[in-house]
Amino acid sequence: AKDYELRQYETAKWVSTVIRGESQKEAMRQGFWKLFHYIQGKNEREMKIDMTVPVTCLVKFGCTDFKVSFFVPFEHQDSPPQPTDSDVFVEERKAAAIFVRSFGGFASPEKYAEEAEALARTLRNRGQPFHEDFFYTAGYDSPFKLFNRHNEVWYFKK
């Protein structure tokens, strides 16, 4: 479709942290730094790991917990170093079909919510079944990248 795509993601490991009771923007900031420390060596092997994209954030409607995640690089998928911060964990996300809407610019929580609502509306209009109680935000760029930025919102297909 011209305004979204359906992707098939394979099972993969992500390193994640849940930030509770903060605004989405503050949760993203806190979560990013916890995960950044992990890839900088705050793990059982004191190993530096390459930064990957996207950085995702799980947004559940009516909930103030936000799960922020980094994709574990392919070379560490089989055996990622365990975090030493008790708030950080490695999780395996099962294979899934995901509806994706992409957009540019600097993404605020409000912009992500607006794009998620537009995607949800399109999916409903097309009769596409999806999990409506949550979505993921996905950011692909460093805050220092000013142009041609890439952001996404994801809904999981039912």
Side-chain angles (χ1 to χ4, degrees):
K2 67 176 176 25
D3 42 5
Y4 71 90
E5 60 184 293
L6 177 59
R7 292 185 195 150
Q8 181 64 42
Y9 281 96
E10 296 309 313
T11 298
K13 292 189 177 85
W14 295 70
V15 61
S16 302
T17 187
V18 175
I19 306 296
R20 293 181 169 83
E22 298 288 350
S23 68
Q24 184 179 344
K25 186 172 185 168
E26 179 59 20
M28 280 294 296
R29 190 189 69 74
Q30 287 183 25
F32 177 89
W33 285 109
K34 282 183 176 292
L35 299 174
F36 187 76
H37 292 312
Y38 167 82
I39 66 170
Q40 287 296 300
K42 194 172 180 183
N43 57 64
E44 65 179 7
R45 293 188 220 147
E46 297 182 353
M47 176 189 290
K48 283 194 181 226
I49 300 168
D50 290 338
M51 176 80 202
T52 59
V53 292
V55 176
T56 65
C57 180
L58 171 60
V59 179
K60 295 181 194 170
F61 293 105
C63 181
T64 58
D65 293 357
F66 299 97
K67 182 169 67 177
V68 182
S69 306
F70 287 2
F71 179 76
V72 172
F74 291 108
E75 64 267 25
H76 300 293
Q77 279 288 316
D78 289 339
S79 181
Q82 288 303 305
T84 53
D85 179 339
S86 61
D87 291 339
V88 177
F89 56 96
V90 174
E91 65 172 331
E92 185 170 89
R93 292 190 194 166
K94 300 292 178 217
I98 299 176
F99 293 108
V100 178
R101 180 178 170 97
S102 300
F103 61 99
F106 280 90
S108 64
E110 296 75 23
K111 180 67 174 165
Y112 276 125
E114 184 182 302
E115 295 291 336
E117 182 47 45
L119 176 56
R121 197 168 40 249
T122 299
L123 295 173
R124 285 186 207 107
N125 289 342
R126 300 225 171 112
Q128 292 282 6
F130 66 101
H131 293 277
E132 297 193 38
D133 51 334
F134 69 92
F135 66 92
Y136 278 89
T137 68
Y140 287 81
D141 301 303
S142 139
F144 306 109
K145 182 173 181 182
L146 301 180
F147 302 104
N148 300 315
R149 296 178 61 80
H150 183 82
N151 312 288
E152 297 173 348
V153 288
W154 299 352
Y155 275 110
F156 282 56
K157 183 175 179 162
K158 275 190 176 169

